[in-house]
Amino acid sequence: MTERPDTDVLFKALADPSRRKLMDVLHANDGRTLNELCEHLDMSRQGVTQHLNVLEAANLVAIVWRGREKLHFLNPVPLQEIYERWIAKFERSRVKALHGLKQRLEAGETIDTPKRRKS
Amino acid sequence: MTERPDTDVLFKALADPSRRKLMDVLHANDGRTLNELCEHLDMSRQGVTQHLNVLEAANLVAIVWRGREKLHFLNPVPLQEIYERWIAKFERSRVKALHGLKQRLEAGETIDTPKRRKS
DNA sequence: TCTTCAGGCAAGTCATTACTTGCATATTGG
DNA sequence: CCAATATGCAAGTAATGACTTGCCTGAAGA
């Protein structure tokens, strides 16, 4: 049960606030050009381009050329993979997890600790 | 509609394959000690500790001390935030997005392009 | 046609991150 | 009480990532 190769690309694409912002902007109004997107980010055009390349590599954004301008469209499909692989899977185990906690704690004696600080 | 501050910490925590692996291991069997977790990762104990600290900061893993050993438990709650803030939100707009694509393309004339290569 | 506009490519810088090694501390079991 | 075990803390390194600047190319419109 090893990880699909594009999973890493996907998560890394979502890991940057500027890229999430770009997705938000596209979500509000899909099909924008590069220059339009630049107006929402406080960085150089090339910076935005690089972020968009990452999103495109993760298949979260699709590109269509219209003449000299580049239109960007959201593709939410990969997000579905995250849902299935992560959210659903872990949500199902929520009750189980808390149950396991109790079991383990009751097995060992000590619970609270003296000298150890960190949580 | 700006991003909650812990959102970034959460996404960054999920962005590393070793950390996702740790979550998988905990999902398979919750409540493991640090040493047990180390057996599944090909790196030094301190490396694993640092990854676990990131997961703990993101509130994805909870720690309980039992004597000298540190038990780790999954907390799937933050994943739910991702679902609501990201998956559900963008999934709802899937049809809308593709519709917008058609509209934009029909508005402009050119669709296919000559000299431009990329995508 | 020729200037303006939209965007690409390359290389360099700076910060962050992943990981290591070495040593210190607390707990447990004999 | 003491050796072995479980983990923490600090500092260093090497790689990755985010962003910039400068220059180049192709399409549009007066």
Side-chain angles (χ1 to χ4, degrees):
Chain A
M1 223 236 246
T2 201
E3 193 168 87
R4 289 182 54 196
D6 46 353
T7 304
D8 193 55
V9 176
L10 180 53
F11 272 106
K12 285 203 163 62
L14 291 171
D16 186 274
S18 299
R19 289 194 286 270
R20 291 194 299 276
K21 168 107 185 205
L22 283 171
M23 292 192 61
D24 272 339
V25 173
L26 285 177
H27 180 251
N29 198 346
D30 215 8
R32 300 193 192 233
T33 68
L34 175 57
N35 269 335
E36 282 168 351
L37 290 172
C38 284
E39 291 169 12
H40 295 264
L41 272 281
D42 191 23
M43 67 178 67
S44 73
R45 174 175 54 87
Q46 200 55 22
V48 178
T49 295
Q50 284 167 19
H51 281 306
L52 287 168
N53 287 341
V54 173
L55 290 174
E56 195 187 355
N59 204 26
L60 285 166
V61 163
I63 303 298
V64 175
W65 281 96
R66 184 177 63 190
R68 66 182 165 182
E69 49 188 13
K70 194 188 186 186
L71 305 182
H72 299 79
F73 295 89
L74 269 184
N75 177 27
V77 175
L79 294 177
Q80 202 58 30
E81 183 199 349
I82 291 193
Y83 177 73
E84 285 156 16
R85 173 90 173 70
W86 287 86
I87 319 287
K89 172 180 173 182
F90 284 86
E91 185 55 28
R92 241 179 277 122
S93 67
R94 194 208 290 231
V95 181
K96 201 180 94 196
L98 292 178
H99 187 62
L101 171 65
K102 269 195 122 181
Q103 284 190 322
R104 287 294 286 244
L105 286 181
E106 284 161 6
E109 319 83 44
T110 328
I111 293 196
D112 215 16
T113 48
K115 296 286 169 73
R116 298 273 192 189
R117 283 297 135 65
K118 299 286 257 169
S119 184
Chain B
M1 224 238 244
T2 201
E3 193 167 87
R4 289 182 56 196
D6 46 351
T7 304
D8 193 55
V9 175
L10 179 53
F11 272 107
K12 285 203 163 63
L14 291 171
D16 186 276
S18 298
R19 288 194 286 270
R20 290 195 299 276
K21 169 110 185 201
L22 283 171
M23 291 194 61
D24 272 339
V25 172
L26 286 178
H27 180 251
N29 199 346
D30 216 9
R32 300 194 192 232
T33 69
L34 174 59
N35 268 336
E36 282 167 351
L37 290 172
C38 283
E39 290 169 12
H40 295 265
L41 273 280
D42 191 24
M43 67 178 68
S44 73
R45 174 176 55 85
Q46 199 55 22
V48 178
T49 295
Q50 285 167 18
H51 280 305
L52 287 168
N53 287 343
V54 173
L55 290 174
E56 196 189 354
N59 204 27
L60 285 165
V61 163
I63 304 299
V64 175
W65 280 97
R66 184 176 64 192
R68 66 181 164 187
E69 50 189 11
K70 194 189 188 185
L71 306 182
H72 299 79
F73 295 89
L74 269 185
N75 176 28
V77 175
L79 294 177
Q80 202 59 28
E81 184 200 349
I82 291 194
Y83 176 72
E84 285 157 17
R85 173 87 173 73
W86 286 88
I87 318 288
K89 172 179 173 181
F90 284 88
E91 185 56 27
R92 243 179 275 122
S93 66
R94 193 206 291 232
V95 181
K96 199 181 96 194
L98 291 178
H99 187 62
L101 172 66
K102 267 195 124 181
Q103 284 190 321
R104 286 296 285 243
L105 286 180
E106 284 161 5
E109 318 83 45
T110 329
I111 294 195
D112 216 15
T113 48
K115 298 285 169 73
R116 301 272 191 187
R117 282 299 133 64
K118 296 289 253 172
S119 181

